[in-house]
PDB file of all heavy atoms in Angstrom:
ATOM      1  N   GLY A 188      76.011 -28.729  79.089  1.00 96.00           N
ATOM      2  CA  GLY A 188      76.569 -27.617  79.850  1.00 96.00           C
ATOM      3  C   GLY A 188      76.263 -27.679  81.330  1.00 96.00           C
ATOM      4  O   GLY A 188      76.898 -26.966  82.131  1.00 96.00           O
ATOM      5  N   LEU A 189      75.322 -28.537  81.730  1.00 97.00           N
ATOM      6  CA  LEU A 189      75.069 -28.703  83.163  1.00 97.00           C
ATOM      7  C   LEU A 189      76.235 -29.380  83.866  1.00 97.00           C
ATOM      8  O   LEU A 189      76.386 -29.244  85.083  1.00 97.00           O
ATOM      9  CB  LEU A 189      73.789 -29.514  83.388  1.00 97.00           C
ATOM     10  CG  LEU A 189      72.472 -28.812  83.085  1.00 97.00           C
ATOM     11  CD1 LEU A 189      71.298 -29.742  83.355  1.00 97.00           C
ATOM     12  CD2 LEU A 189      72.334 -27.542  83.923  1.00 97.00           C
ATOM     13  N   VAL A 190      77.061 -30.116  83.123  1.00 96.00           N
ATOM     14  CA  VAL A 190      78.202 -30.791  83.748  1.00 96.00           C
ATOM     15  C   VAL A 190      79.174 -29.775  84.343  1.00 96.00           C
ATOM     16  O   VAL A 190      79.485 -29.833  85.547  1.00 96.00           O
ATOM     17  CB  VAL A 190      78.887 -31.725  82.728  1.00 96.00           C
ATOM     18  CG1 VAL A 190      80.150 -32.349  83.339  1.00 96.00           C
ATOM     19  CG2 VAL A 190      77.924 -32.813  82.275  1.00 96.00           C
ATOM     20  N   PRO A 191      79.678 -28.789  83.580  1.00 96.00           N
ATOM     21  CA  PRO A 191      80.526 -27.773  84.218  1.00 96.00           C
ATOM     22  C   PRO A 191      79.753 -26.869  85.168  1.00 96.00           C
ATOM     23  O   PRO A 191      80.320 -26.390  86.154  1.00 96.00           O
ATOM     24  CB  PRO A 191      81.096 -26.984  83.034  1.00 96.00           C
ATOM     25  CG  PRO A 191      80.163 -27.235  81.906  1.00 96.00           C
ATOM     26  CD  PRO A 191      79.639 -28.610  82.109  1.00 96.00           C
ATOM     27  N   ALA A 192      78.455 -26.641  84.908  1.00 97.00           N
ATOM     28  CA  ALA A 192      77.682 -25.754  85.782  1.00 97.00           C
ATOM     29  C   ALA A 192      77.529 -26.350  87.170  1.00 97.00           C
ATOM     30  O   ALA A 192      77.738 -25.671  88.193  1.00 97.00           O
ATOM     31  CB  ALA A 192      76.313 -25.477  85.163  1.00 97.00           C
ATOM     32  N   VAL A 193      77.167 -27.631  87.240  1.00 96.00           N
ATOM     33  CA  VAL A 193      77.017 -28.287  88.546  1.00 96.00           C
ATOM     34  C   VAL A 193      78.382 -28.435  89.218  1.00 96.00           C
ATOM     35  O   VAL A 193      78.502 -28.276  90.443  1.00 96.00           O
ATOM     36  CB  VAL A 193      76.318 -29.643  88.374  1.00 96.00           C
ATOM     37  CG1 VAL A 193      76.315 -30.433  89.688  1.00 96.00           C
ATOM     38  CG2 VAL A 193      74.879 -29.444  87.888  1.00 96.00           C
ATOM     39  N   ALA A 194      79.419 -28.716  88.418  1.00 96.00           N
ATOM     40  CA  ALA A 194      80.772 -28.801  88.996  1.00 96.00           C
ATOM     41  C   ALA A 194      81.181 -27.474  89.620  1.00 96.00           C
ATOM     42  O   ALA A 194      81.786 -27.441  90.705  1.00 96.00           O
ATOM     43  CB  ALA A 194      81.757 -29.220  87.917  1.00 96.00           C
ATOM     44  N   LEU A 195      80.849 -26.356  88.955  1.00 96.00           N
ATOM     45  CA  LEU A 195      81.168 -25.039  89.511  1.00 96.00           C
ATOM     46  C   LEU A 195      80.424 -24.818  90.827  1.00 96.00           C
ATOM     47  O   LEU A 195      81.009 -24.330  91.808  1.00 96.00           O
ATOM     48  CB  LEU A 195      80.788 -23.948  88.501  1.00 96.00           C
ATOM     49  CG  LEU A 195      80.900 -22.505  88.984  1.00 96.00           C
ATOM     50  CD1 LEU A 195      82.348 -22.161  89.319  1.00 96.00           C
ATOM     51  CD2 LEU A 195      80.351 -21.536  87.932  1.00 96.00           C
ATOM     52  N   ALA A 196      79.133 -25.161  90.852  1.00 97.00           N
ATOM     53  CA  ALA A 196      78.354 -25.003  92.084  1.00 97.00           C
ATOM     54  C   ALA A 196      78.951 -25.821  93.221  1.00 97.00           C
ATOM     55  O   ALA A 196      79.008 -25.360  94.379  1.00 97.00           O
ATOM     56  CB  ALA A 196      76.898 -25.406  91.834  1.00 97.00           C
ATOM     57  N   GLU A 197      79.427 -27.018  92.903  1.00 96.00           N
ATOM     58  CA  GLU A 197      80.024 -27.863  93.939  1.00 96.00           C
ATOM     59  C   GLU A 197      81.380 -27.324  94.371  1.00 96.00           C
ATOM     60  O   GLU A 197      81.744 -27.404  95.560  1.00 96.00           O
ATOM     61  CB  GLU A 197      80.144 -29.291  93.420  1.00 96.00           C
ATOM     62  CG  GLU A 197      78.787 -29.964  93.241  1.00 96.00           C
ATOM     63  CD  GLU A 197      78.888 -31.308  92.541  1.00 96.00           C
ATOM     64  OE1 GLU A 197      79.952 -31.594  91.925  1.00 96.00           O
ATOM     65  OE2 GLU A 197      77.913 -32.071  92.600  1.00 96.00           O
ATOM     66  N   GLN A 198      82.131 -26.745  93.452  1.00 95.00           N
ATOM     67  CA  GLN A 198      83.443 -26.193  93.804  1.00 95.00           C
ATOM     68  C   GLN A 198      83.323 -25.026  94.775  1.00 95.00           C
ATOM     69  O   GLN A 198      84.197 -24.836  95.627  1.00 95.00           O
ATOM     70  CB  GLN A 198      84.188 -25.766  92.537  1.00 95.00           C
ATOM     71  CG  GLN A 198      84.723 -26.911  91.719  1.00 95.00           C
ATOM     72  CD  GLN A 198      85.370 -26.451  90.427  1.00 95.00           C
ATOM     73  OE1 GLN A 198      85.624 -25.267  90.232  1.00 95.00           O
ATOM     74  NE2 GLN A 198      85.639 -27.395  89.536  1.00 95.00           N
ATOM     75  N   VAL A 199      82.270 -24.227  94.657  1.00 95.00           N
ATOM     76  CA  VAL A 199      82.094 -23.097  95.590  1.00 95.00           C
ATOM     77  C   VAL A 199      81.320 -23.515  96.839  1.00 95.00           C
ATOM     78  O   VAL A 199      81.000 -22.672  97.680  1.00 95.00           O
ATOM     79  CB  VAL A 199      81.400 -21.911  94.898  1.00 95.00           C
ATOM     80  CG1 VAL A 199      82.233 -21.395  93.742  1.00 95.00           C
ATOM     81  CG2 VAL A 199      79.991 -22.269  94.441  1.00 95.00           C
TER      82      VAL A 199
END
Side-chain angles (χ1 to χ4, degrees):
L189 288 180
V190 175
V193 172
L195 173 63
E197 291 172 344
Q198 286 176 12
V199 299

